[in-house]
Amino acid sequence: MNGPEITLEVAPELRLFVPHDRRRGATPLTTDGASTLGHVIESLGIPLTEAGELLVNGAPAHRSHIPGPGEHIAVQAVERPQQVPGAPLRFLLDVHLGTLARRLRLLGVDAAYESEDIGDPALAALSAREQRVLLSRDRGLLRRREIWAGAYVYSDRPQEQLRDILGRFAPALAPWTRCTACNGTLAVADKDAVSDLLEHGTQQTYDVFAQCTECARVYWRGAHHGHLETIVADAVREFGGAAA
């Protein structure tokens, strides 16, 4: 490139996206003189979903700004909790985030999930059509222009992923109200009405049931309920919500 030289500084939270020689603080960068600030940021490996306020010589700037000679550019991380305007807060997760999807649903968060890989174009189109925040660890997917909103999931561990998303977006929590299998809503179910769907031992042992209004799956407080209660209690204690 033979364009102007600028100085670029990336927030510590975003340094994992850039080459190692740009992780120590402000570094010089030669641009082509025509690319927007948004393009420059993406060319360094930072998904725009992760870029918060952009500062040019200390003043806020838009992604469409074309950097000029000698400008100091600072790329901030997104504010937390992040505001997502324009629609009820709901999510779409890619095929690699099934456990996170089930845990969000356990907490009553609207989390659509495709168990099969439908491809990046279809995921991006679904995000736009249903106005869902697309969650992914795939930086390429998050760079697709057609997505409505998106967020990079920083950890590969479900417990840390859950804390990351709850802390970033602060969704309202309503535990035990959503089907972990299909994302439908749960309703109280009469034991006699669902008895045909239960094994004999379950019928004999439990009396309180819920059923998904979409897929008809039946729920009760079975052997694994203690583990699920721990997940719910930890999330409610840290991020708020009703633990009922």
Side-chain angles (χ1 to χ4, degrees), residues 150-169:
Y152 182 76
V153 178
Y154 286 80
S155 176
D156 58 2
R157 298 182 178 182
Q159 182 176 357
E160 295 175 2
Q161 291 173 345
L162 184 63
R163 292 188 69 256
D164 178 24
I165 298 306
L166 296 182
R168 176 166 176 172
F169 293 101

Side-chain angles (χ1 to χ4, degrees), residues 102-185:
R102 289 187 290 273
R103 292 190 178 191
L104 287 170
R105 292 170 177 177
L106 177 66
L107 294 169
V109 177
D110 189 338
Y113 165 71
E114 297 292 338
S115 59
E116 297 182 2
D117 190 353
I118 63 174
D120 289 1
L123 274 174
L126 184 57
S127 166
R129 184 169 66 252
E130 297 189 358
Q131 294 190 327
R132 291 180 177 274
V133 180
L134 180 57
L135 305 181
S136 179
R137 286 178 52 78
D138 183 341
R139 303 181 199 180
L141 173 57
L142 294 175
R143 290 183 65 171
R144 298 190 71 93
R145 292 291 183 263
E146 62 269 37
I147 68 173
W148 181 71
Y152 182 76
V153 178
Y154 286 80
S155 176
D156 58 2
R157 298 182 178 182
Q159 182 176 357
E160 295 175 2
Q161 291 173 345
L162 184 63
R163 292 188 69 256
D164 178 24
I165 298 306
L166 296 182
R168 176 166 176 172
F169 293 101
L173 304 186
W176 318 111
T177 62
R178 194 171 289 275
C179 178
T180 57
C182 82
N183 200 41
T185 56

Side-chain angles (χ1 to χ4, degrees), residues 183-242:
N183 200 41
T185 56
L186 300 182
V188 175
D190 180 76
K191 181 176 181 178
D192 293 334
V194 298
S195 60
D196 290 344
L197 301 175
L198 307 174
E199 295 183 359
H200 180 71
T202 301
Q203 293 185 44
Q204 297 296 316
T205 307
Y206 302 99
D207 294 306
V208 179
F209 297 91
Q211 187 172 30
C212 178
T213 58
E214 298 292 331
C215 72
R217 179 169 178 167
V218 179
Y219 290 84
W220 61 94
R221 301 196 173 199
H224 299 291
H225 194 76
H227 172 63
L228 301 181
E229 282 186 323
T230 298
I231 294 174
V232 168
D234 289 346
V236 168
R237 180 173 59 252
E238 186 169 2
F239 300 101

Side-chain angles (χ1 to χ4, degrees), residues 34-56:
S35 294
T36 65
L37 183 52
H39 180 80
V40 171
I41 292 169
E42 280 194 324
S43 70
L44 294 173
I46 303 172
L48 288 180
T49 60
E50 305 312 295
E53 187 174 43
L54 308 178
L55 302 176
V56 176

